[in-house]
Amino acid sequence: IGTKMNNRIFLIFLLVTPLIVIIGSTLAFNLGYSPENTKNNGTFFDSYFEVDPMSLVDESGSVIEFEDGKWVLGVYYNNDLNFENALYVMRQLNVALNRDIFKLKRIFVQSKSFQPNAQLLEDFPRIEIFNDVNDGFINQIEKNTTDYFSTPRIFVIDPYGRAVMFFDASMDPKLILKDLKVLI
């Protein structure tokens, strides 16, 4: 009888332990406890925000689509920064992803008044260009971070349309690639 009781206690312990861990970690997350020193190289927005697909429209009038499993890597041009380095880094990251290349979509977001030159489009093929209609996207960025436009930056949007983090375009691409491989 003693061994049956010990077996039952052991079985209950095995079943309850994962539940305690899940409940404890969920409570810690919801109460705002998180690790002090994270390993990510990018900067998280103050809080992630839903990107309104209606604010990003391409030349044909189609809105941006967030596809399941496909992350978005983009740069926002606001008329006063040298963004070509950011586009170059995005292209290099796309190539470096190897087999994960199809899990990433590269976009260029511009204000309504800017029109890219033809050379830009030739130098960076397969980049999708979107207009920021009514400055909806730029307003969301400025509301969720400070000094975003002080230097050229590359932002990341998850497959569900939430802008989560950004990188300085001058950052070592290997560090950005490290974060991207963890994300996708």
Side-chain angles (χ1 to χ4, degrees), residues 121-167:
L121 300 177
E122 289 177 23
D123 290 345
F124 302 101
R126 294 193 344 242
I127 191 164
E128 298 179 35
I129 299 174
F130 291 94
N131 293 313
D132 186 8
V133 179
N134 300 324
D135 295 330
F137 187 58
I138 194 171
N139 291 336
Q140 288 180 310
I141 289 174
E142 289 175 338
K143 186 169 45 170
N144 288 288
T145 191
T146 55
D147 290 335
Y148 180 86
F149 292 105
S150 60
T151 62
R153 312 235 189 215
I154 299 170
F155 59 85
V156 179
I157 301 175
D158 72 9
Y160 305 105
R162 297 177 296 219
V164 291
M165 71 185 319
F166 58 91
F167 303 94

Side-chain angles (χ1 to χ4, degrees), residues 25-169:
S25 62
T26 302
L27 284 174
F29 177 76
N30 287 329
L31 293 174
Y33 296 107
S34 63
E36 294 289 324
N37 300 321
T38 59
K39 299 289 184 191
N40 59 309
N41 300 303
T43 305
F44 287 104
F45 286 104
D46 293 340
S47 64
Y48 74 84
F49 58 92
E50 301 281 334
V51 176
D52 179 13
M54 301 305 286
S55 67
L56 299 178
V57 179
D58 66 9
E59 290 87 24
S60 67
S62 300
V63 298
I64 190 170
E65 293 181 14
F66 300 109
E67 304 165 32
D68 192 27
K70 199 162 202 170
W71 289 75
V72 174
L73 192 63
V75 62
Y76 193 103
Y77 178 76
N78 69 341
N79 296 331
D80 60 348
L81 296 174
N82 180 5
F83 60 91
E84 291 186 38
N85 182 48
L87 292 174
Y88 176 76
V89 170
M90 284 182 9
R91 181 177 62 190
Q92 297 305 326
L93 291 169
N94 197 35
V95 171
L97 283 171
N98 291 331
R99 65 177 180 208
D100 292 329
I101 195 170
F102 298 109
K103 293 181 181 179
L104 189 69
K105 174 173 31 176
R106 294 177 297 141
I107 68 169
F108 175 83
V109 180
Q110 62 193 7
S111 64
K112 323 175 255 220
S113 58
F114 175 74
Q115 293 300 317
N117 62 27
Q119 185 64 41
L120 173 73
L121 300 177
E122 289 177 23
D123 290 345
F124 302 101
R126 294 193 344 242
I127 191 164
E128 298 179 35
I129 299 174
F130 291 94
N131 293 313
D132 186 8
V133 179
N134 300 324
D135 295 330
F137 187 58
I138 194 171
N139 291 336
Q140 288 180 310
I141 289 174
E142 289 175 338
K143 186 169 45 170
N144 288 288
T145 191
T146 55
D147 290 335
Y148 180 86
F149 292 105
S150 60
T151 62
R153 312 235 189 215
I154 299 170
F155 59 85
V156 179
I157 301 175
D158 72 9
Y160 305 105
R162 297 177 296 219
V164 291
M165 71 185 319
F166 58 91
F167 303 94
D168 262 338

Side-chain angles (χ1 to χ4, degrees), residues 2-20:
T3 57
K4 283 187 177 183
M5 186 61 146
N6 286 341
N7 287 342
R8 286 184 182 167
I9 291 173
F10 183 70
L11 182 62
I12 290 172
F13 176 75
L14 284 178
L15 294 174
V16 172
T17 302
L19 291 174
I20 292 171

